Amino acid sequence: MINTEGMVAETAAKIYTDLCGREVPHEAAAGQYPQALWDALAENGLPLAWVSEDNGGFGADYDEVFGAIWVSAEAASPVPFAETLIANWLLDRAGVAIPDGASTFALLDGNAASVPFAGTADHVAVYDASKNAIALYKTADASAADGQALSPDSDTRLDFSTATPVASAATNLSRRAVEALILTVRAVQMASAIEAALNLSIAYVSDREQFGRPLSKFQAIQHQLAVAASESAAATMAATQAASALARSADDPEKAWHEAVVAKVQIGHSVEAVTVPFHQVHGAMGYTQEYDLHHYTRRLWAWRDTLGNEHHWSKTLGAELAVTSPDQIWKGVTTGAWIAS
Amino acid sequence: MQRFNFPVIQPDPALEELRAELQAFLREEREAGNFRPEPECWMASSDPEFSKKMGKRGWIGLTWSSQYGGHDKTALERYIVTEETLRAGAPVGAHWIADRQHAPMLIEHGTEEQKRDILPRIAAGECYFAIGLSEPGAGSDLANVKTKAEKVEGGWKINGQKIWSSGAHISHYMVAILRTSPADGRNRHVGLSQIMIDLSLPGVTIKPITDLSGDAHFNEVYFEDVIVPDDCLLGEEGGGWKQVTGELAMERSGPERFLSSYITLETALHQLQGKLGSDSQARLGKLIANLRTLRGMSWGIANLLHQGVSPETEAALVKDLGNRLENDLTLQVRALLNDLPEDEWSDEMRRILNIGILRSPPNTLRGGTTEVMRGITARQLGLR
Ligand SMILES: Cc1cc2nc3c(=O)[nH]c(=O)nc-3n(C[C@H](O)[C@H](O)[C@H](O)COP(=O)(O)OP(=O)(O)OC[C@H]3O[C@@H](n4cnc5c(N)ncnc54)[C@H](O)[C@@H]3O)c2cc1C
């Protein structure tokens, strides 16, 4: 289970309840950044939760931090909380000093990379697998491409070729270890957002009346949401399984890669299966900027593209399984122990 | 606020040892030609000889006390056995329902004499049960059962008809839901009771129904003035509805709700290993991610049941997702097989795939239809 009861998660929950009411994501989208929310997270040291004590953090368990990430996604966090956690994790693992303020992350392919919250975060921690190195840049130093974004905080393409890093260091983190962490964080956010949007949809159809009764009394509506609920339950399971694998292999995150990829594939494919009914049952209201649903659905559409979409990852996982024995595949399905080493 | 939480449970080395034993046994049996693997094996492949071998090995009746022929093990050991036999497509249909459903029911509601008499025979793989819920006029609308049990001196007199009773033709007993007093106009669930019927009694007629594949594993069962003794009423008179819905949670979340067709995939993978093109690799990756997730959910429920929690809605969710997945699996295998020229398909592959296609319609019907599962979920969501 994603632990939303630990100290870290509870502190985050309190901050999000106090400072991220339902108006906040709307105000943020209109350009009013919730600085108070970020400041409260920072004052409590939450963005440093995964940073080792030597480096000024408090080396919290994966579990509890995932609980905090769950809470932030539920509130449609307009500040880069999860992204800063990932960036600081990367920097800490490479022994780079953690900068103040909000950060984000990127996996470099060539000169450029897709960067979430590029317009908000001060710094970006860039992992370059080809050089086994992590470099820290000021986000403003990279040049941004222009494109229609899926959500206000979704990826912007940044080109780093002319930027000079603030710091950089070699790392022995493998690409798979980095992928395991990022994919698991995204899985937790997505499962949380799916559940939040499900709850929003249930509330809406229970309230809205047509033909003299609430929409919830129509079987066609009930069944659409029952299917969405089953996808939501599966997404939570997949995210929890990945989070738990990472918690168990804290010293060697690469070992959690398969479970993270399973979650990526499962949840990426679920997005269509949930966002379609969520928008359908809301009618035109769900298509408006004024209503809350898009805070979740737009993020889900954006997050499913993190490090490549679900088709790419289905193929990556399938390619590996296609050459292993059926016995090995069965072992993975039943025990989570994927490939014999 | 809706939250579905399934605990993540790590593999247990003791259980993995049991798994290895089963795998070795199943491999030997298959290689010796003692069975041919099939999809939907838990419903449609029955072999009393095979059931007796399973019984001898101690793999039936795992969960009940050795006093009644059981093995004092947990529901988790049982889960491993069911999962491995499904994976192998082994002919477990004869004992499956008795082991899964009716033994626990007898332990809860049976008399001491029934337990001593029947449970050891179930554990030995020699005594089989059929489920008597459906009637011609009562499928999804189960509260509409009309078959009657009337109180008579020292027992009950039964008249009416059940239908779709899987395995009744080879079963020794049926547990049926019967009307023991008239329905109350407002609450149709009252007046129903569960009664165990010895199928060899006079007045019982069993007529097999042939399915579209030519198999005949389900039946019509007629009762004409059949007299059963008093102690065949299981649980409370009039409490049948509550008992049945409790039982369904266990019935709906087991591995048979998402692994019935796994043998089709495994058979194909033996032929396709290393030969899949990139489109097929993507299909395989998605399928395996779905299977891993569903297995996590189903295993989570098994652990909750083990702790005495009965998560009815979660079970309905798993059944709905799982049934869709097992049908999708067969379709995906058809697509994967495009990567192998047809004249390289083994006869075994073709046979298993075709059986899988012919046996796919019941997945989303038996044990409650998809629509009924979604109704249960909708109620939990507060929509009904
Ligand atoms: C292979 C197989 C084995 C079986 N074994 C057994 C057994 O051993 N014992 C036993 O008792 N039964 C058994 N059954 C019966 C099974 O439980 C029923 O088929 C099932 O409950 C559906 O009932 P029905 O067939 O009468 O369909 P119906 O209830 O007539 O339903 C037909 C269709 O209408 C839909 N529908 C019905 N009511 C509603 C509603 N309110 N809202 C929306 N849609 C609705 C259903 O979902 C379904 O799609 C078996 C069935 C099969 C196929």
Side-chain angles (χ1 to χ4, degrees), chain A residues 130-162:
Chain A
S130 68
K131 297 195 183 114
N132 278 328
I134 285 173
L136 180 66
Y137 293 86
K138 278 195 167 11
T139 320
D141 290 349
S143 55
D146 192 16
Q148 170 69 48
L150 285 169
S151 84
D153 47 9
S154 71
D155 292 5
T156 307
R157 206 69 199 156
L158 292 190
D159 190 314
F160 294 91
S161 51
T162 58

Side-chain angles (χ1 to χ4, degrees), chain A residues 219 223, chain B residues 43 97 130-136 138-142 162-167 217-218 361-372:
Chain A
Q219 200 180 47
H223 284 199
Chain B
M43 267 276 124
I97 301 293
I131 303 172
L133 295 175
S134 306
E135 295 183 6
S140 302
D141 185 12
L142 199 53
K162 290 287 169 184
I163 195 167
W164 316 124
S165 317
S166 298
H217 84 275
F218 53 16
N363 285 336
T364 49
L365 297 173
R366 60 181 181 221
T369 66
T370 301
E371 289 72 19
V372 169

Side-chain angles (χ1 to χ4, degrees), chain B residues 67-83:
Chain B
Q67 186 190 353
Y68 304 122
H71 303 283
D72 300 304
K73 298 272 169 53
T74 68
L76 303 180
E77 267 119 339
R78 204 185 148 266
Y79 191 99
I80 301 293
V81 174
T82 55
E83 156 171 279

Side-chain angles (χ1 to χ4, degrees), chain A residues 199 216 259 266 322 327 330, chain B residues 2 84 87 274 290 292 383:
Chain A
N199 284 321
S216 62
E259 296 282 83
Q266 170 67 37
D327 286 345
W330 176 248
Chain B
Q2 193 51 59
E84 285 299 329
R87 176 211 180 187
N290 293 156
R292 170 75 186 134
L383 303 177

Side-chain angles (χ1 to χ4, degrees), chain A residues 263-338:
Chain A
K264 167 77 177 176
V265 171
Q266 170 67 37
I267 303 174
H269 284 284
S270 294
V271 168
E272 204 65 26
V274 295
T275 53
V276 170
F278 290 160
H279 276 283
Q280 187 66 21
V281 304
H282 272 93
M285 181 54 79
Y287 194 55
T288 66
Q289 189 123 63
E290 163 199 346
Y291 185 73
D292 301 347
L293 181 64
H294 66 92
H295 294 318
Y296 301 109
T297 55
R298 293 175 71 192
R299 283 187 169 83
L300 287 168
W301 290 323
W303 286 338
R304 73 176 162 183
D305 289 343
T306 299
L307 306 191
N309 66 27
E310 67 275 17
H311 306 290
H312 163 76
W313 285 97
S314 300
K315 191 158 82 66
T316 304
L317 180 64
E320 192 166 306
L321 298 178
V323 293
T324 54
S325 75
D327 286 345
Q328 277 299 326
I329 294 177
W330 176 248
K331 190 167 179 204
V333 168
T334 53
T335 67
W338 281 98

